[in-house]
Each structure stands twice: as structure tokens, then as C-alpha cells.
Amino acid sequence: MPIAKVNGVEVEFEPGMTVLQVAELAGEEIPRFCYHERLSIAGNCRMCLVEVKPGPPKPQASCALPAAEGQEIITNSPMVKKAREGVMEFLLINHPLDCPICDQGGECDLQDQAMGYGRDDSRYADNKRAVEEKFMGPLIKTVMTRCIQCTRCVRFITEVAGVPEIGLISRGEDVEITTYLDKSVTSELSANVIDLCPVGALTSKPYAFNARPWELKKTESVDVMDALGSAIRVDSRGPAVLRVLPRLNEDINEEWISDKTRYAVDGLARQRLDQPYVRKGGRLTPVSWNEAFDLVAANIKAASPDRIGVIAGDVQDAESMKAAKDLFGSLGVKNLDCRQDGMALGAGPRESWLFNSTIAGIENADVILLVGANPRLEAPVFNARLRKRWLAGALRVGVIGEQADLTYGYDYLGAGPETLSGLTRSKSDFVKALKAAKAPAIIVGTGALAREDGAAVLAAAAAAAKTFGMTWNVLHTAAARVGGLDLGFVPGEGGKSAREMAAKGALDVLFLMGADEIDLSASKAFTVYLGTHGDAGAHSADVILPGAAYTEKDGLYVNTEGRVQMGFRAVFPKGEAREDWSVLRALSDRLGATLPYDTLAQLRAKLFEDHPTFGQIDYVPAAPAALDLAGLGTKGAASDKPFASPIKAFHLTNPIARASVTMAECAAVVSGAAKIAAE
């Protein structure tokens, strides 16, 4: 490998690296505003100036200068120091003195670098220029007078998000960042520009003036808004969660999160269930825990096991599902299901319901077939990874299902099962590319499997994967789905599925664990709802037992690739609400079937003993060498109904998001239901 000298110290580096990267390999800190590791190089802030020999006797921008064998890089010479001070002086000519009222205060790159690399005075006394504020939607607050034109936001929206709605207009002193025709930014990843902005030009509109960073308690956790399991940080003050930010995780979300992950948190404080309720005379009435438990226990004892059913929702932690399975299993109940949507998966090897390529590993694929999946709505951060691979010119994508804007080019093959089953007979260019591919993969979405003919579609998809040698991947939409399937939270022999439980006259007692996405209008069963929000499940309940949201409990979640991740409690549950597993433990006493654990640690020990995969925290299994695809699904005729993504409104997919005012505003903008004029 080539060798360069950085401040007199020899450093080996990989060919193609820039001077800035080589300097950082040597442990030298290089200031920058426009440069970002995941964006293209702009080279327009000039803050990263260094001295390079051989070369012209002047400072050079290290972010855009290729490193070469034998170079001598100097980052601390008087010339470099003077040059950086001059650049900082220019940047501050028009920057307003807003620090006391700026939301970026305490987290501002400009503040930090002005202290480290700037002068202690300015030689400019001219009036500062002012720039009109721009409208970027309900999420991004703009104070464009603060902008230093680093263009990070422009490059992110164009390159990573793939929705080029932010741009730079005019020249010289008149240059401005704006959206086209002052329209709202529509990308599901738009708010990442707030993290990227090195100054206070783009800040969080819902979070504006709420808190300073040093007031917040920071808790590492896991996102439950989709099945990706993005690494997040929950910032709270007292009993309130104020914001969610991304954490770096190269294997899953890199450093991005979706707008729903970031902004649905205001729903954690609205429409909350904070005490037990019992329906009396058609109205839900607050009661004590004892009265609620007595009524639930009396109804469960009065019903036969085959007339009792349990449905787990989409954001449940593994511990609560384990407690429910142990409790109701000991009572002889076989009607258990974690698949509200009726997905045709849950039998066979674990790999049959996993994303076997892994999220990071999908970047090794050269041809991908999407079946009944819309990654842009179902997993926006994963969709950005597909776009990243496509931009490199190394990926070809085929789609069977909705003809949606996925932010990258694809071959549209057809709408439904007919196209899938006829794939082997097709002579299209995509099929030719699929046959010639070195690392092909199939991604099957919930839209293909959560249908009446889901088992037949599953068999057809598995047959296609086997024929073309594609790696088998399932893209789930529910954070709890893989964990539930790993636990075996599916109907036992002779048991009813979630849809069958919801049918008229099917059950006498129905126990819902945060299940709000299933239609219970026909069910006449005595319904118990253990959950967090006054959503659909609570509206149909006869008894409500208040539970804890994902930010209010320690919990294990398994993402779509089978990676077990641990979320941690940031705040305590609201009012009289309790963690879900502890509610089930207390209920087990009333039923005379006491669960064999009294603490979360004991419950986890039992979970790890019965299901060892849950003990492998942050481990993702390797793709199986040979998965028996022939055994998946049931061969038969599928309907000609087109595949459709289960997500119709991206911002309103779970009780937390539906309780969020911010998400309601975003949904209104996307649907065009509300006309928001430019401010």
C-alpha cells in the first residue's frame, strides 16, 4: 500500500483515499462543513485546508485532493492556521448572532469549529445579508440567514433519498437553498437533513424551542416503527420523550432513520391508556387493577380453552409474547397468533421467514426481484441502501406488484401472481439478467403473503427462487413479527388464526396484546385489550389493561434479518400502566396458573432456555447453504388479484403514529388533503 507522511508520521493508506481521510488515519482532526463520508464531495466550504508537499505553496482543500505516494501532509503549520481562520472569518461575515435562540446551540458544528479554529475578532463591519425563510413542510424549520451553503441537504435529498426537491439557486451573494416552488419535501427520509446541517439553518420544527441538549437524558434503544430495527437514541426530560435521533449502525441503518421513527414520538403522550377500564352499560369506566383482573379471570375461567384466543400486535416485545404464550399455553389455549394480517408464514425452518441476505449483505446482490413489496414505504432506510447499490451501477431490480416510485430504476414485470408463476417461461431482458446473475436475491413482501391465497403465492415465490438460485428474503413490516414467529406464537394443532378468531361466533374470550390492525367488527367475544393507546383495539374492548410503550420498558425485538436487539427504558409508563409481561404475571395469579418468573431477568432466562436464538444479542445468522424452498407454502392456484403493499398511509401505520399530531400533518400533506401555504 502507498505511504504518505502526516505531520512527519508515516501512514499507510488504501489507493483512492483523499488527503483528509489519510490525515484522519494518522489521528489528526480536520475541520469540515461540506464534507460528509456518505455524500459526494463538494469541496465548497474550504474549511479543511492543509499544506501538501510536493504541491503549490498554498493551502489546499483536503476533502477533494487525492492522496498519493510520498506526499507530505501538514495540518498544523502557521499557513494552515491562518488560512482556516480566514475561511471561518468569511463564513461568519453574514452569519447572525442567533446562538442564544438557535435550536442548534450546543450541537452546532459552526460553534465548535469557530472555537477551535477561528479568530477571536472580525475585521468586517458591513451589514449582514438576510435571506427569506423557506417552506419545507411540517418537519423542517428553516432560518436560511444562518445557511453557509455547504449543500449537504441538497446532496442528501438528491443522492441518498432520491427525491431531488431541494436545490441551490442564484450566484454569489444571492445564493440560496430552497425547495422547488416552495413545496413540502415529500421524502420519507427528509428530516435527516436536520442532522446533516452543520449550522442552525435547518432544525426540527416539532421540537423547536423545547429543550437544550444538556437537559436531556439519552437512552440507546431500537426503533419499532418498521421491521428494520434501526438503532436510535431516545432523548427524554422527566416523564416526557422529546425526540428520537439515529445512532450509527453500519449493519442496519448506517446513520439514517425515517421521518416516522423520528417524529411519531409525540404520539407517546397522546390518547394514552393510563389506568384500567371496564365497559359498564356500554361505556368504558375507570376501575382498579383488582376489579379489572377479577373480571378478566372470571371470563377466562368460564370459557373452554378452545373458545379463548390471543392475538399479539405489531410492536410487542418478545418478553410479553413469551409470557402470554406460557400463560395461555398452560391453560390449554391453542388459538395464538402474532400475524394480524394473515401472513402465510410461520411453519418450517426459521430461515423461511428471515431476510437471509442480511440488510448490509444486500449490497452484494447484482439482481433483485421484488415481489409484493414497496421498500420505500415499508422500510425507507433499507430502500436508501438499495438506491445506493443501484447508483453504483451494480444492481438491476425487477418488480412484481405495485408500479410505485422507488427512487431507482427498475424493470416492471407485472402486477400479480400470474407474472410470478410465469417467470420461468418469460423471455424478458430482466429474466436473462437473472439467469446470468452471480448473486441474485428475491425479496418477498407482506403484500404478497398477507392474502387469502398467500400460501399459494409463497409456494410460487419459493419455486422461482429455487429455479433461479436466488437468496430467499422476506421483508416484514411489523417489528414484532419475526420475534413472534421465532417464539412459535402461531396457532397450535387445531388452533385458529387471527382472522379466524375475529370471525363471528368463533370465540368467547379474545385477548389482544396491542393488536389494532385487525377488523373485529364481527366478533362478539368478550375482548380484553392490553395496550398503550386508545386505538381500534381499545374501542372494541370490554376490559382495558394499560401497558407500556417501547420507550417505557426494556425489551427484546427481532428485526427482519433475524437480529435480536435490546431496547432500553427511557421513561416510566404513564399513570397506572405497567410493563406488559408484569401485567400477565399478575393475571396468572388470578387464574391459578402462576408463571414461573417474578422478574424480567428470570423471564429472560426462561426465554433464552426455551428459545436459544434470543440469547444471541446483535448476532445475525449467515444465509443457509441450502434452504428447502420446496417445502414452503401450498401449491395451488392463486387469484389474479394484483399485489398491493399493506401500507397505504406511511405515517399512520401503528397506534403511536396515529396518535401523533406531527404524523397527521405529514399524512395530510402527502395525501393532498390539506393545502399548506408557504410561510
Side-chain angles (χ1 to χ4, degrees):
M1 289 200 299
I3 297 175
K5 276 188 178 180
V6 180
N7 295 336
V9 178
E10 288 191 346
V11 179
E12 277 190 341
F13 63 92
E14 295 180 12
M17 295 183 80
T18 63
V19 168
L20 184 149
Q21 291 171 318
V22 172
E24 291 199 329
L25 278 180
E28 298 293 334
E29 181 183 341
I30 305 294
R32 84 291 297 269
F33 292 114
C34 69
Y35 176 78
H36 192 277
E37 293 83 354
R38 302 186 197 279
L39 304 177
S40 61
I41 294 171
N44 54 6
C45 77
R46 318 308 288 179
M47 195 64 209
C48 63
L49 295 174
V50 296
E51 192 176 347
V52 178
K53 297 178 182 177
K58 64 177 183 178
Q60 299 188 65
S62 60
C63 71
L65 184 65
E69 171 73 39
Q71 263 182 346
E72 187 175 349
I73 303 165
I74 305 166
T75 68
N76 53 11
S77 67
M79 178 199 295
V80 171
K81 184 175 184 296
K82 183 179 180 182
R84 289 176 181 171
E85 287 178 352
V87 169
M88 181 61 70
E89 196 173 359
F90 273 114
L91 288 174
L92 294 176
I93 289 174
N94 288 309
H95 198 81
L97 299 175
D98 274 354
C99 297
I101 60 162
C102 176
D103 267 322
Q104 200 82 343
E107 299 173 314
C108 178
D109 292 351
L110 189 63
Q111 276 185 332
D112 295 341
Q113 293 184 38
M115 291 293 292
Y117 303 99
R119 293 166 54 97
D120 58 0
D121 65 334
S122 175
R123 290 168 287 180
Y124 290 88
D126 300 331
N127 292 330
K128 294 180 182 288
R129 77 164 189 163
V131 181
E132 278 187 15
E133 305 312 342
K134 304 297 186 292
F135 175 74
M136 291 191 180
L139 303 180
I140 305 169
K141 182 177 186 287
T142 64
V143 184
M144 300 314 293
T145 301
R146 300 171 185 160
C147 179
I148 60 171
Q149 290 84 45
C150 71
T151 68
R152 278 187 181 182
C153 56
V154 178
R155 285 175 283 148
F156 173 82
I157 285 291
T158 304
E159 298 166 11
V160 179
V163 184
E165 296 174 331
I166 299 178
L168 196 69
I169 60 170
S170 300
R171 286 174 176 265
E173 189 183 12
D174 297 324
V175 73
E176 296 179 15
I177 299 284
T178 184
T179 57
Y180 297 106
L181 302 176
D182 278 340
K183 291 293 176 67
S184 173
V185 181
T186 60
S187 170
E188 294 78 16
L189 300 169
S190 65
N192 287 291
V193 300
I194 295 166
D195 296 334
L196 288 171
C197 185
V199 295
L202 305 178
T203 56
S204 173
K205 190 176 282 188
Y207 176 71
F209 310 124
N210 273 357
R212 287 299 195 186
W214 53 84
E215 301 175 307
L216 304 175
K217 183 182 81 171
K218 301 166 179 65
T219 308
E220 293 186 353
S221 193
V222 180
D223 174 41
V224 300
M225 294 293 146
D226 56 35
L228 213 63
S230 298
I232 59 172
R233 191 186 86 195
V234 179
D235 286 0
S236 58
R237 183 178 59 188
V241 173
L242 296 185
R243 68 176 180 178
V244 164
L245 296 177
R247 285 189 293 122
L248 183 67
N249 190 326
E250 296 290 354
D251 292 332
I252 302 176
N253 59 308
E254 297 180 303
E255 59 187 88
W256 320 123
I257 54 174
S258 73
D259 293 347
K260 182 167 53 177
T261 298
R262 188 186 297 265
Y263 285 119
V265 290
D266 65 321
L268 292 167
R270 294 184 170 87
Q271 299 181 24
R272 286 302 300 271
L273 303 173
D274 57 359
Q275 58 185 327
Y277 288 86
V278 167
R279 194 175 295 278
K280 298 179 179 179
R283 295 175 64 88
L284 287 168
T285 307
V287 295
S288 67
W289 275 105
N290 284 333
E291 185 177 343
F293 279 147
D294 288 342
L295 183 57
V296 174
N299 277 272
I300 291 176
K301 287 178 179 178
S304 63
D306 63 321
R307 302 285 295 175
I308 301 171
V310 186
I311 302 175
D314 291 347
V315 295
Q316 287 300 118
D317 56 292
E319 292 90 341
S320 64
M321 288 189 283
K322 172 61 175 170
K325 187 170 185 281
D326 287 351
L327 172 58
F328 287 96
S330 69
L331 298 175
V333 175
K334 295 182 179 179
N335 306 319
L336 306 172
D337 207 348
C338 64
R339 306 164 302 179
Q340 296 182 85
D341 51 19
M343 173 181 273
L345 275 175
R350 183 178 189 239
E351 292 80 14
S352 66
W353 57 74
L354 295 186
F355 198 97
N356 292 294
S357 293
T358 72
I359 294 167
I362 201 67
E363 291 190 33
N364 297 322
D366 51 2
V367 178
I368 290 176
L369 175 64
L370 293 174
V371 180
N374 182 343
R376 182 172 173 184
L377 297 183
E378 296 166 22
V381 175
F382 173 69
N383 195 63
R385 198 180 280 267
L386 290 180
R387 174 176 168 80
K388 173 183 169 185
R389 176 70 170 161
W390 175 80
L391 278 176
L395 178 65
R396 186 163 183 174
V397 180
V399 171
I400 300 177
E402 294 179 336
Q403 197 168 0
D405 178 9
L406 298 179
T407 72
Y408 43 82
Y410 59 82
D411 295 89
Y412 185 67
L413 307 176
E418 201 173 284
T419 306
L420 179 60
S421 58
L423 203 62
T424 54
R425 301 186 301 273
S426 173
K427 296 181 180 179
S428 66
D429 290 343
F430 176 80
V431 171
K432 291 176 183 175
L434 196 58
K435 289 177 179 177
K438 295 179 181 177
I442 186 171
I443 299 176
V444 185
T446 309
L449 302 178
R451 298 161 40 115
E452 296 292 340
D453 59 352
V457 173
L458 175 60
K466 186 174 183 179
T467 300
F468 294 103
M470 293 185 279
T471 305
W472 178 258
N473 299 297
V474 179
L475 183 63
H476 292 278
T477 57
R481 185 61 50 82
V482 175
L485 296 177
D486 286 351
L487 280 168
F489 205 95
V490 293
E493 188 177 348
K496 296 179 174 66
S497 68
R499 286 179 176 172
E500 290 169 341
M501 288 187 237
K504 185 176 181 180
L507 299 176
D508 294 332
V509 177
L510 180 58
F511 197 98
L512 303 176
M513 298 172 58
D516 296 275
E517 318 304 326
I518 187 166
D519 182 10
L520 299 173
S521 56
S523 175
K524 302 301 180 186
F526 178 83
T527 304
V528 182
Y529 180 76
L530 170 58
T532 59
H533 285 74
D535 207 77
H539 290 169
S540 61
D542 296 294
V543 177
I544 291 175
L545 305 176
Y550 74 104
T551 54
E552 299 161 3
K553 60 187 174 185
D554 294 335
L556 294 173
Y557 301 90
V558 189
N559 76 348
T560 193
E561 61 181 350
R563 185 190 300 269
V564 181
Q565 296 177 283
M566 191 175 290
F568 295 96
R569 182 175 63 196
V571 295
F572 287 95
K574 306 297 180 189
E576 296 180 38
R578 297 291 181 266
E579 294 182 27
D580 299 21
W581 76 267
S582 64
V583 173
L584 292 162
R585 170 64 180 79
L587 179 60
S588 71
D589 278 344
R590 302 300 178 98
L591 292 170
T594 304
L595 291 170
Y597 29 78
D598 299 320
T599 66
L600 183 62
Q602 292 173 352
L603 168 53
R604 282 183 175 166
K606 184 78 165 73
L607 174 64
F608 298 163
E609 180 186 343
D610 295 346
H611 305 277
T613 55
F614 284 92
Q616 299 172 328
I617 307 297
D618 205 35
Y619 166 78
V620 61
L627 173 61
D628 182 18
L629 295 172
L632 297 185
T634 306
K635 290 185 179 180
S639 73
D640 57 357
K641 183 180 177 184
F643 296 137
S645 172
I647 296 179
K648 304 304 177 189
F650 166 75
H651 301 93
L652 306 173
T653 54
N654 59 57
I656 300 171
R658 286 191 288 270
S660 165
V661 171
T662 307
M663 291 295 96
E665 291 176 0
C666 291
V669 169
V670 170
S671 66
K675 268 192 174 180
I676 301 179
E679 294 176 335

